[in-house]
Amino acid sequence: MAEKKKYDIIFNHSYCKMCGICYWICPTKTITRGELGKPLVPDPDTCIGCLICENACPDFAINVVEREAVKENG
C-alpha cells in the first residue's frame, strides 16, 4: 500500500501581508491564524497538498512542497 503523501507549507513572511486568505480558504484548516494574523501551521501532516492557499495568496508568499519519503533500511 502506498503511503500518503506529506507536504510542508513554507511562508515567505517578508512577502506576507497577513491578509488571512490562506487560513480562511484552507479546506483542512491546516493553516491557522496566529498572533497578529500571522499564518501558522501547527500540524503540517494534515495538509493534503491541494495548493488552494498557494494559488489564492495575492502576495505569492506561500509555497507548498511535497516532503521526500524517508526510506528505512531494515
Side-chain angles (χ1 to χ4, degrees):
M1 185 168 142
E3 198 169 315
K4 180 181 176 272
K5 291 182 179 181
K6 297 189 184 220
Y7 301 88
D8 286 320
I9 303 169
I10 301 164
F11 295 99
N12 183 335
H13 290 289
S14 63
Y15 291 172
C16 179
K17 293 186 194 125
M18 295 179 264
C19 66
I21 291 172
C22 57
Y23 47 80
W24 178 80
I25 206 167
C26 180
T28 59
K29 301 302 178 203
T30 298
I31 304 171
T32 61
R33 183 180 193 273
E35 190 173 333
L36 301 176
K38 183 177 178 180
L40 297 175
V41 181
D43 183 8
D45 290 344
T46 60
C47 178
I48 59 173
C50 67
L51 304 179
I52 293 173
C53 60
E54 185 177 311
N55 292 324
C57 180
D59 302 311
F60 306 101
I62 303 171
N63 191 16
V64 178
V65 294
E66 185 177 344
R67 277 189 231 152
E68 292 292 324
V70 177
K71 295 181 180 177
E72 295 181 22
N73 296 335

